[in-house]
Amino acid sequence: MATDWTDQANQMFKFWTEGQKAWMESLARPATAGVVNPFAQGAPAQEAMQLWNDAWKASIDQWSALLQQGSRFAFSQENLRKIVDPAEWAKPAPGSFDFGIERLIEGPNFATLWDLDRKMLKLQQLGVKRAEDSAAYHAVVFAAWKEAGERFVRQFGEAGRGPVGSYRELIDRWIETANETLLEVHRSPQFLEAQRRVTRSATDYRLAEREIAEAFCEMHHIPTRTEMDEVQRTVYQLRRDLRALLRRLESADDASPPQKPPRARRTGTRKPKQPESQSR
Amino acid sequence: MSTPFLPDPTRAMAELAELNVKLMRGAEVLGRIRDDDVQIATTPKHEVWRQDKTVLYRYEPLAERSIAVPVLMVYGLVGRYTMADLQEDRSLVRNLLQKGVDLYTVDWGNPTRSDRWLTLDDYVDGYLNECVEFMCREHKLDRITLLGICEGGVFTVCYAALYPDKVKNLVITITPIDFHADQAEGRTDHGFINLWTRSLTPEDLDRLIEANGNLPGELMSYVFQLMTPLASLTKYNIGMLDAVDDEKKLMNFLRMEKWLADRPHHPGEAAKQWLKDLYQDNQLVEGKFVLGGRTVDLANITMPVLNIFAKDDHIIPPKCSQALGGYVSTEDYSEIALPGGHVGVFVSGKSQGVLGAGIVDWLRKRP
């Protein structure tokens, strides 16, 4: 059965967020009876501690809000508007939507913090980046089509270009104009850079996705892509070494006196003549 | 009243009626054609040798042999060798066989992720070398003739430079040699792959290969489509419409589609060399390209060379191909400039006979 990683990621994110919030709140909670709470009413430096406590609580709220921004369960209208606004997506700098996630990912690595959630967050951030780059790429392409349309319309006002004789001619003129315009755009630095960025971010996303898939594989005793690549590399290297060895043996045979019949080549297989009309 | 730039309504109605008739005829023709009817690479051949996924085929003769030295046709990894034998009346393979060439071809197979570690060293210094040695043994010859196509042309050039004693004649077609010479052409419709590759960083390419394990065939198809954007976008409506009511034209169209759809993945490590070492760093003409631990020195190419390029090749601009003449040491260097584009040289009706005849005439003078 196919795994819905997005859904799992979001659920895990929500679970983790709530856990973090509960943990931080427990730190600020007044101590239970019998336990000395340095922040309790009447304790020394109470005033200073109260200020510290307030600041701590405020930071929890901010922290929680920040985390919630990264979850799709808490999209505000403003964030939703930004998501569907290509201009926002096309911004080179990360938008407010992924700010929280970015902060989390760029934070310190804690030894005891479960690593998978960090991978999930990284994937989410890369998904946002990919969407931004894709929107920026499409913005360049849309601009090219717009330019092609303007050029197409303009040419009918040009002196020496009469009305078209048929609809087919009209289509041919459009194809010619659009083709020329797109070719120009495809060679422009803006297009090439937009394409490079979207290729890169899609690649980075795929690699981050693999990290999560591999974590799942490791949990369930399934060989990972990386391990398979390593095995294939080993097999490849062994085959290469074998070919080289066989060639050396053959050279040695060729150099020796012709006392025995020449050995058959073993590096490849000779096939009996068997006509085939198809390539595959 | 008609809009100033639109055709008049009476004419438009007639055009619409004509279109409807065409569509009806087309629907009838398309309804009769099945996938099995669309066959490519049908010239009879048989497998003579294989190693891993590489298979060496020998074509059945279609005429009495007139060229003594057998020819090994080498295609690249970006597409499939079947392009040289698209259909019976548009086939370089048949044209050569009918003129008495003893022809072999190498099929690199369909690489998968498990082939990601294969390098160009393996293809040139390994598989291609094995094929050449097999043919030499079979024919009791020291040398054979190589016929390279596109990336396969680069393989044969490298091979000829590394093993000049094993190559009798070298024929290359639509082959890039100077990967930066596209800039000298200054054409907006030529050399996009060169530009696209240079727009990427080496790290982008490394990550791309790491993520996919190879250079995906679909990605290369996309890049090819960017070079002919409107033709790609309109081929299934307007382009196909032009051919749909003519069965012969339609079959030509469908065969080409079959070949285009069969774009293999390019093995990852080999793709890195192809895109980074050659397209980005231009190492072949810089004299820095290393295969099998040896530097490929084009000056080692001392055998006769025939360099065939397409004058309107948008994928490998002519100047990229023609550069070879300035680097080889042979005094027997010839060029044939053919009209048409990259694939058109092999499959267009106009080029049929011209390409094959040009190669055979040249070979006959160098027995």
Side-chain angles (χ1 to χ4, degrees), chain B residues 1 58 60 64 75 117 197 244 266 276 295 326 355:
Chain B
M1 196 181 81
R58 185 179 189 181
E60 302 295 327
E64 194 177 332
Y75 204 83
W117 303 108
T197 314
V244 79
H266 196 299
K276 287 163 59 181
T295 303
L355 177 61

Side-chain angles (χ1 to χ4, degrees), chain B residues 76-93:
Chain B
L77 296 161
V78 176
R80 300 261 299 155
Y81 73 99
T82 46
M83 191 263 276
D85 186 27
L86 199 65
Q87 62 191 61
E88 207 165 312
D89 59 344
R90 294 174 187 225
S91 166
L92 171 65
V93 167

Side-chain angles (χ1 to χ4, degrees), chain B residues 19-33:
Chain B
L19 177 68
N20 280 335
V21 171
K22 199 165 191 165
L23 285 172
M24 283 170 66
R25 278 194 207 140
E28 193 266 324
V29 174
L30 272 174
R32 276 191 278 118
I33 299 172

Side-chain angles (χ1 to χ4, degrees), chain A residues 122 126 137 145 152-153 156 162-180 182-188 191-193 195-200 202-208 210 225-226 228-234 236-237 239-240 243 247 250 265-280, chain B residues 4-8 11-12 15 39-52 57 60 80-82 107 110 113-114 116-119 121-122 126-127 129-130 133-134 137-138 166 182 187-192 195-196 199-201 203-204 207-208 210-212 219 222-223 226-231 233-234 238 241-242 258 262 292:
Chain A
K122 183 181 167 192
L126 289 171
Y137 168 79
W145 283 105
F152 180 62
V153 172
F156 291 103
V164 291
S166 66
Y167 274 99
R168 178 55 196 261
E169 193 187 328
L170 189 70
I171 290 169
D172 287 345
R173 274 201 202 179
W174 161 241
I175 288 174
E176 186 189 346
T177 308
N179 199 55
E180 282 173 9
L182 288 179
L183 283 175
E184 282 174 27
V185 171
H186 290 168
R187 299 182 74 87
S188 68
F191 177 85
L192 291 168
E193 178 59 14
Q195 191 189 52
R196 189 192 74 76
R197 289 173 75 104
V198 76
T199 305
R200 179 60 181 265
T203 301
D204 288 345
Y205 181 85
R206 198 166 163 74
L207 287 169
R210 192 210 289 180
R225 176 73 265 167
T226 302
M228 288 303 295
D229 280 350
E230 283 170 8
V231 169
Q232 282 159 353
R233 185 171 207 169
T234 305
Y236 158 77
Q237 193 58 50
R239 291 189 69 87
R240 205 175 188 196
R243 283 201 301 265
R247 287 190 70 82
E250 190 175 86
R265 287 294 297 271
R266 289 188 294 155
T267 52
T269 311
R270 187 188 167 137
K271 288 283 172 180
K273 187 172 175 176
Q274 201 172 37
E276 63 168 58
S277 56
Q278 262 303 95
S279 59
R280 283 169 291 153
Chain B
F5 58 85
L6 292 180
D8 80 279
R11 178 130 188 213
E15 208 178 342
Q39 297 292 341
I40 59 173
T42 56
T43 305
K45 60 185 181 300
H46 59 275
E47 180 183 324
V48 291
W49 178 89
R50 75 159 57 214
Q51 187 177 84
D52 303 334
Y57 290 105
E60 302 295 327
R80 300 261 299 155
Y81 73 99
T82 46
D107 178 2
N110 277 307
R113 179 146 194 154
S114 65
R116 73 165 287 191
W117 303 108
L118 286 171
T119 62
D121 310 47
D122 295 303
Y127 301 132
N129 186 39
E130 296 282 355
E133 290 191 348
F134 176 88
R137 281 196 306 278
E138 286 294 292
K166 293 183 185 176
D182 59 298
R187 287 182 61 161
T188 53
D189 56 343
H190 276 198
F192 180 72
L195 193 63
W196 172 75
S199 77
L200 302 170
T201 66
E203 195 196 354
D204 290 335
R207 301 269 298 169
L208 186 69
E210 174 61 25
N212 295 284
L219 178 65
Y222 159 73
V223 175
L226 288 177
M227 289 186 276
T228 52
L230 265 290
L233 284 173
T234 59
I238 296 164
L241 196 63
D242 289 340
K258 194 155 203 167
D262 185 23

Side-chain angles (χ1 to χ4, degrees), chain B residues 245-307:
Chain B
D245 60 340
D246 181 329
E247 191 159 350
K248 195 176 175 201
K249 276 190 189 173
L250 184 62
M251 289 301 284
N252 292 350
F253 176 87
L254 293 174
R255 286 191 196 98
M256 178 53 83
E257 283 300 301
K258 194 155 203 167
W259 177 72
L260 287 170
D262 185 23
R263 188 170 294 291
H265 302 316
H266 196 299
E269 293 304 309
K272 283 186 195 173
Q273 290 169 291
W274 180 243
L275 296 176
K276 287 163 59 181
D277 297 351
L278 297 176
Y279 265 97
Q280 287 187 335
D281 296 343
N282 209 13
Q283 289 183 2
L284 194 56
V285 295
E286 298 278 336
K288 295 174 183 167
F289 191 50
V290 176
L291 286 179
R294 290 192 288 161
T295 303
V296 177
D297 184 356
L298 297 178
N300 288 341
I301 297 179
T302 48
M303 72 292 299
V305 175
L306 174 61
N307 187 356

Side-chain angles (χ1 to χ4, degrees), chain A residues 56-112:
Chain A
W56 176 243
K57 279 185 177 175
S59 75
I60 292 167
D61 291 340
Q62 285 173 5
W63 177 242
S64 300
L66 201 61
L67 292 173
Q68 286 296 323
Q69 281 188 26
S71 165
R72 75 174 182 189
F73 297 102
F75 284 161
S76 66
Q77 286 297 316
E78 177 64 14
N79 279 337
L80 283 172
R81 190 187 64 73
K82 286 177 180 174
I83 289 163
V84 297
D85 182 358
E88 286 289 331
W89 286 102
K91 278 181 182 173
S96 62
F97 169 65
D98 58 331
F99 178 68
I101 308 170
E102 192 186 7
R103 284 281 298 273
L104 280 174
I105 292 164
E106 291 176 357
N109 277 298
F110 298 111
T112 53

